[in-house]
Amino acid sequence: MVARRATSLSAAALTAVAVAAVPAAGQSDKPRPISESPLLWATVNVCDTADRPDTIGIRASMPGSGISAERMFMRFQVQFFSRTDNRWHNVGRGGDSGFLAVGSGRYLQRQSGRNFVIQAPTAGGYRLRGAVTFEWRQDGEVVRRARTRTTSGHGNTRGADPKGYSRASCIIR
């Protein structure tokens, strides 16, 4: 009888451990994809100021993968809103930085940014935003990629004018 009781307790203990190891409904034991990291963002941090007229500044952050053999890259593109079709479009060559190296994947986070001077319209204004493409590369091959548009609320980004400026879009007048 004692042996049976010990066996029963062991089975109950094993069952409790097995149940505890099962993720709760809706949860996964897989890590969140790097593209969903809160360290991945872009913002407008300069918008047609006295010190930087007709300029939109785009700043972005990307998380490192923790893999030192990976290299991180960002591509900044300016987009304009067309009232004709109510859609966003890339400005073109003058509003595209191309891919820029920002460091090793071993870093927790890297930030970078670019300012673009836009010819002011003769009347009205242009509504602009940024789109940033992020790439993690190893041995010259892209191993992961993400893309995001500018959003507001990213705190004190370096180079912001005025200090602390962070918006989703910008109007150049």
Side-chain angles (χ1 to χ4, degrees):
M1 186 165 198
V2 173
R4 281 190 203 167
R5 179 184 254 176
T7 304
S8 297
L9 289 175
S10 295
L14 288 175
T15 301
V17 170
V19 169
V22 175
Q27 291 183 340
S28 172
D29 58 350
K30 289 174 40 178
R32 178 182 4 199
I34 204 164
S35 61
E36 294 177 15
S37 169
L39 299 177
L40 185 81
W41 53 261
T43 194
V44 173
N45 70 338
V46 175
C47 182
D48 196 18
T49 65
D51 289 342
R52 296 185 182 130
D54 305 328
T55 300
I56 180 174
I58 304 169
R59 184 117 183 123
S61 165
M62 70 187 295
S65 62
I67 302 169
S68 59
E70 288 185 8
R71 298 290 174 251
M72 299 187 298
F73 293 82
M74 294 182 191
R75 179 183 183 185
F76 300 88
Q77 294 175 289
V78 179
Q79 296 183 328
F80 70 94
F81 185 76
S82 169
R83 290 185 190 115
T84 305
D85 63 3
N86 290 326
R87 295 182 61 192
W88 291 93
H89 302 274
N90 290 335
V91 166
R93 184 187 297 181
D96 189 332
S97 70
F99 279 99
L100 306 169
V102 297
S104 168
R106 72 182 163 91
Y107 293 107
L108 173 66
Q109 173 189 25
R110 297 297 284 188
Q111 286 190 22
S112 189
R114 285 294 175 270
N115 290 335
F116 298 89
V117 177
I118 305 296
Q119 184 173 348
T122 54
Y126 298 130
R127 177 171 294 280
L128 305 172
R129 72 176 181 188
V132 181
T133 305
F134 305 90
E135 288 186 351
W136 294 258
R137 301 177 189 173
Q138 190 166 352
D139 298 325
E141 298 291 322
V142 176
V143 294
R144 62 184 67 71
R145 176 181 284 150
R147 184 168 167 87
T148 191
R149 307 305 189 280
T150 49
T151 57
S152 62
H154 295 288
N156 194 10
T157 62
R158 185 193 295 181
D161 183 11
K163 187 175 180 167
Y165 188 85
S166 174
R167 300 291 187 274
S169 64
C170 171
I171 296 178
I172 302 284
R173 296 189 193 278

